Amino acid sequence: MLEWKRQARGSSALLIKGARRIGKSTIAEEFARKEYKSYIIIDFADVKPEILELFDNTADIDFFFLRLQALTGVDLHKRKSVIIFDEVQLCPKARQAIKYFVKDGRYDYIETGSLLSIKKNVEGILIPSEEEQIEMFPMDFEEFLWAVGKGKEYELIRYLYENKKAAGDSTHRSLMKDFRLYILVGGMPQAVAAYLADQNFTYIDKIKRNILQLYIDDFRKIDPYGRASTIFTSIPAELSRNTSQYRVGNVIENGRPSRLGEVFADIADSLTVNYAYHANDPGVGFALHANYDIFKIYLADTGLFVTLSFMDKEITENTIYQKLLLDKLPTDLGFIYENVVAQMLRSAGHKLYYYTFRDKNEESKSVRSYEIDFLISRDSKICPIEVKSSGYATHKSIDMFRNKYSSRIKERYLLYTKDLRKEGDLFCLPVYMAALL
């Protein structure tokens, strides 16, 4: 945000995109408070009718700003004030007006929004080219540690990763305990604040259920047929099947990605999920060879993912929180680790791709399928990533992948729950280092 302010100098507005309840409004207002002499925040989810009416006619910009200052009681100062359009998708006219406000050049503008590309939110308006867009994610593991007063721990993690050093048994156990806590609480600010208040997991779970219900209600508004909400709530079940893709037919009768393209696009636009697409050719430039009809879906926040996985039970009726904290997670719940790695890679700036392939054993004539959980690029090479929810007893997929594509690989990574070690050319990293890849 600081980079935008210093470089744009009023030549563009800043649009912060993100799922609902991740703190977009809070960070925008905090930034305005620290970086400007004055600011006005217009929350289109709860706006006075007389302010909303101003956007019916923005041709007379002088009149617009005089009325806005009079109605809000805030004095605006040329090049020293910012106006925040909060939940701007609820007022398409305001978003369109950005073009003319930026051209006028008097003030800076920050927009926040979710579900920004849904048809009803852009219908009949010209999307301003004067928008600089950034995505905001739930708090990552580093930010979570800052929040709980353990910021130095992440400095240690970074040092260990950069120097490829093992933490040692006691330190690693402590770091894994904090990481499992992050998985449970997640990165939604309300859930983190609840943990800091009294560490009551029942209350934290209730907050996360309320957020999930908000998302489900949004999907029902977008798609009255219930397909979007059904696809969303079925994400944990689909991942638990350990199949190579989200099988729409398991969730919606006769459902196919090609038939539900708009629904899947709207789900993506909500930024409540992360899509991982199948790379047909595992080489640099994944997007050029991605199959957008074959994909997996992860929740953007693993804390919400854990709660969604057990929405049919009261928190007191299951022991998932205790099991995770004590590292007693059943092996059939390993997909939770896959979801958190997806979240960490995405927050670190990676688009998500994975790869499946088959290999024939010449002796037995049998054919076996293999899967690489994630692929990232580095320089002109690729780095395959395999995720394990426990140890590293076997890592056949990533070994077979090396045999098949050795010339394309820069480094191979196994993310698991044990301490850092190197096995040949394979880096076995504790899962809490995922965001550093």
Side-chain angles (χ1 to χ4, degrees):
M1 294 173 76
L2 279 170
E3 185 179 322
W4 159 77
K5 182 175 185 283
R6 291 167 183 165
Q7 293 184 358
R9 299 184 181 216
S11 64
S12 67
L14 180 67
L15 173 62
I16 304 173
K17 305 192 300 181
R20 295 180 68 184
R21 298 292 177 87
I22 64 166
K24 300 185 300 296
S25 308
T26 301
I27 202 166
E29 188 167 7
E30 184 71 9
F31 182 75
R33 186 180 293 113
K34 288 185 175 181
E35 297 297 323
Y36 293 88
K37 186 174 181 179
S38 68
Y39 68 92
I40 292 173
I41 182 166
I42 303 173
D43 180 1
F44 288 109
D46 184 23
V47 62
K48 295 178 181 178
E50 53 267 35
I51 291 180
L52 197 59
E53 288 172 6
L54 292 177
F55 293 94
D56 289 337
N57 184 5
T58 57
D60 189 339
I61 290 182
D62 290 335
F63 176 75
F64 177 90
F65 288 132
L66 286 171
R67 287 287 295 144
L68 183 61
Q69 291 172 85
L71 289 169
T72 59
V74 177
D75 291 332
L76 295 173
H77 307 274
K78 188 173 182 179
R79 301 305 318 135
K80 294 181 180 179
S81 296
V82 63
I83 301 174
I84 300 170
F85 292 165
D86 195 20
E87 299 295 350
V88 71
Q89 78 278 359
L90 299 177
C91 185
K93 289 180 181 178
R95 190 176 180 197
Q96 179 171 261
I98 285 292
K99 177 181 180 68
Y100 308 102
F101 292 155
V102 168
K103 184 178 180 181
D104 173 71
R106 263 175 268 191
Y107 315 116
D108 281 351
Y109 303 91
I110 298 175
E111 307 164 85
T112 76
S114 54
L115 304 168
L116 286 156
S117 300
I118 304 302
K119 274 187 178 179
K120 67 178 182 180
N121 295 333
V122 295
E123 195 168 4
I125 72 164
L126 182 67
I127 301 299
S129 58
E130 295 76 10
E131 276 182 351
E132 182 174 328
Q133 300 187 8
I134 57 174
E135 285 189 20
M136 184 173 173
F137 301 97
M139 295 166 69
D140 62 20
F141 184 43
E142 181 178 10
E143 291 163 335
F144 177 79
L145 289 177
W146 295 347
V148 300
K150 295 185 176 183
K152 289 294 182 183
E153 283 196 5
Y154 205 81
E155 291 182 26
L156 172 61
I157 292 171
R158 190 184 301 276
Y159 173 83
L160 295 171
Y161 171 79
E162 290 175 350
N163 292 277
K164 298 297 183 286
K165 292 174 66 72
D169 289 346
S170 60
T171 301
H172 172 71
R173 282 196 299 270
S174 177
L175 292 172
M176 276 304 304
K177 184 176 181 181
D178 286 333
F179 185 71
R180 290 193 297 270
L181 178 64
Y182 171 63
I183 289 176
L184 291 174
V185 176
M188 303 301 288
Q190 276 184 290
V192 176
Y195 171 77
L196 292 172
D198 58 12
Q199 302 183 18
N200 184 324
F201 283 113
T202 301
Y203 181 55
I204 295 168
D205 192 70
K206 183 178 180 181
I207 286 173
K208 292 191 291 178
R209 286 170 187 254
N210 289 341
I211 295 171
L212 286 167
Q213 191 58 56
L214 179 71
Y215 291 169
I216 292 167
D217 290 344
D218 281 344
F219 287 131
R220 286 173 178 160
K221 291 175 187 175
I222 294 168
D223 176 43
Y225 298 103
R227 297 166 299 181
S229 58
T230 299
I231 290 168
F232 177 76
T233 55
S234 300
I235 291 172
E238 280 302 294
L239 282 177
S240 71
R241 297 180 197 274
N242 198 29
T243 56
S244 61
Q245 67 184 96
Y246 188 106
R247 297 193 179 278
V248 189
N250 292 338
V251 177
I252 297 173
E253 188 175 356
N254 297 321
R256 294 180 184 174
S258 56
R259 294 178 180 174
L260 297 168
E262 188 173 330
V263 175
F264 281 108
D266 288 345
I267 294 172
D269 190 65
S270 73
L271 298 178
T272 60
V273 303
N274 291 318
Y275 282 81
Y277 295 101
H278 190 274
N280 289 342
D281 182 14
V284 174
F286 300 124
L288 297 174
H289 306 286
N291 187 333
Y292 293 101
D293 285 333
I294 300 178
F295 51 81
K296 291 186 177 184
I297 313 178
Y298 303 94
L299 254 67
D301 180 76
T302 303
L304 294 181
F305 181 83
V306 170
T307 295
L308 185 60
S309 299
F310 300 96
M311 280 283 275
D312 59 329
K313 300 179 182 178
E314 294 297 328
I315 180 61
T316 52
E317 293 177 356
N318 70 70
T319 59
I320 183 65
Y321 283 81
Q322 290 78 9
K323 286 181 177 179
L324 256 173
L325 280 176
L326 297 173
D327 197 19
K328 302 294 184 182
L329 188 70
T331 55
D332 62 348
L333 294 180
F335 58 89
I336 292 176
Y337 279 93
E338 192 177 333
N339 195 97
V340 75
V341 169
Q343 176 183 348
M344 295 170 80
L345 291 174
R346 187 69 189 90
S347 296
H350 296 288
K351 300 292 186 182
L352 302 180
Y353 298 96
Y354 70 104
Y355 183 65
T356 59
F357 62 101
R358 304 178 76 188
D359 193 77
K360 184 177 181 180
N361 186 304
E362 292 300 329
E363 292 184 6
S364 64
K365 303 300 181 182
S366 61
V367 177
R368 183 174 175 181
S369 297
Y370 300 95
E371 180 175 319
I372 301 300
D373 295 315
F374 300 103
L375 292 169
I376 61 174
S377 60
R378 188 173 294 158
D379 301 326
S380 59
K381 300 281 189 175
I382 60 173
C383 300
I385 300 170
E386 187 171 345
V387 181
K388 295 282 189 181
S389 61
S390 54
Y392 68 99
T394 60
H395 36 76
K396 187 72 172 176
S397 291
I398 204 165
D399 290 341
M400 295 299 294
F401 185 84
R402 176 197 54 196
N403 296 341
K404 196 174 180 68
Y405 298 107
S406 59
S407 63
R408 304 184 184 188
I409 297 172
K410 184 176 181 67
E411 290 172 329
R412 300 187 302 142
Y413 295 103
L414 175 73
L415 295 175
Y416 68 153
T417 58
K418 305 300 181 183
D419 204 350
L420 186 149
R421 62 169 287 160
K422 193 168 184 288
E423 185 179 300
D425 66 336
L426 178 68
F427 287 99
C428 303
L429 304 180
V431 67
Y432 49 72
M433 292 183 178
L436 297 170
L437 292 176

